[in-house]
Amino acid sequence: MKLIIPNDIIPGTKLKRAEMGGLTGKPFLDQLFMVSDGVMLSQIRKMAGIDGSTLQNWTKRGWVANAQLKRYGVDQVAHIFLINMLRSCMQLDRIAWLLHYVNGSVEDRSDDIITASALYDSICMTLDYLDTEEGCTLEAIRPAIERAVADYVEPVEGARVRLTNALEIIVGSYCASLIKQSADAKIKELIGSVEE
């Protein structure tokens, strides 16, 4: 069965792709950081739709690196978007474990197998491949991931396997959350039409 996922929102944000020139992934992040080398908490709150206390909680738990001079860098913002895009479909401690599985500690870049921004870009590319080609099927996810990470160079042996395994979980979970959102909207519409 081929599932068409609604892919009109930039993953991890509440921004419509059309309003951002169709950008997502690295091109979207590049546009955010074109003028400045950091993003303020108020900007993240506006883009992602999360409140400051949630972000502070994520930082306190070690899931997001601390801001530098009240600004978040590109990898920190990508990391926040990653958590935000998964939190409706996965427990926060599992998201934290999965991101740790990929990159270890958020404060230590030496154990990363991929930057958070490159990981976010790979997810967005995979979602775009699924949107334009096969649709979201279990059989289509892995080939779309392989295509998205075709140029990836392992910094350590086994990194590609870790990355593709994590991407399969992230993309599958995110697609499931989009389908659930669509179903929730449909049932709300049906309830409203029956009650009228």
Side-chain angles (χ1 to χ4, degrees), residues 4-196:
I4 304 302
I5 57 170
N7 194 13
D8 59 337
I9 302 292
I10 298 170
T13 76
K14 60 181 194 170
L15 302 173
K16 294 194 179 293
R17 288 179 67 153
E19 293 171 0
M20 299 302 294
L23 299 178
T24 187
K26 185 175 180 337
F28 168 67
L29 292 172
D30 289 345
Q31 183 176 357
L32 283 181
F33 287 87
M34 184 182 302
V35 178
S36 172
D37 60 350
V39 174
M40 302 289 286
L41 175 61
S42 60
Q43 294 170 299
I44 293 172
R45 287 182 13 216
K46 194 178 291 185
M47 287 184 288
I50 57 176
D51 58 49
S53 61
T54 297
L55 188 52
Q56 289 170 347
N57 183 34
W58 294 354
T59 303
K60 190 186 311 181
R61 291 177 179 239
W63 298 340
V64 175
N66 287 311
Q68 301 296 316
L69 302 173
K70 297 187 180 186
R71 293 188 179 272
Y72 292 88
V74 66
D75 286 316
Q76 290 169 301
V77 171
H79 196 86
I80 291 165
F81 289 164
L82 290 167
I83 295 171
N84 200 41
M85 72 186 280
L86 293 173
R87 71 183 182 141
S88 70
C89 60
M90 193 181 289
Q91 295 173 342
L92 284 170
D93 60 333
R94 294 224 174 165
I95 297 169
W97 184 91
L98 185 60
L99 295 176
H100 185 270
Y101 169 77
V102 175
N103 277 340
S105 169
V106 296
E107 298 290 347
D108 181 6
R109 296 283 178 242
S110 68
D111 60 357
D112 291 4
I113 63 168
I114 189 170
T115 64
S117 55
L119 176 62
Y120 180 73
D121 189 49
S122 297
I123 292 163
C124 292
M125 280 193 293
T126 301
L127 291 169
D128 284 349
Y129 294 148
L130 292 171
D131 188 41
T132 58
E133 293 177 5
E134 299 298 320
C136 188
T137 66
L138 293 176
E139 298 80 23
I141 290 175
R142 189 59 108 155
I145 289 168
E146 293 295 340
R147 186 172 166 197
V149 298
D151 295 336
Y152 175 73
V153 177
E154 286 186 315
V156 294
E157 188 176 339
R160 178 178 286 278
V161 170
R162 279 180 26 209
L163 177 59
T164 55
N165 285 339
L167 284 170
E168 189 169 6
I169 294 166
I170 292 167
V171 170
S173 297
Y174 185 65
C175 287
S177 75
L178 292 177
I179 293 165
K180 184 181 181 309
Q181 287 173 18
S182 179
D184 288 346
K186 185 66 175 172
I187 197 162
K188 186 176 178 182
E189 180 184 312
L190 290 173
I191 290 169
S193 69
V194 171
E195 291 178 351
E196 291 177 356

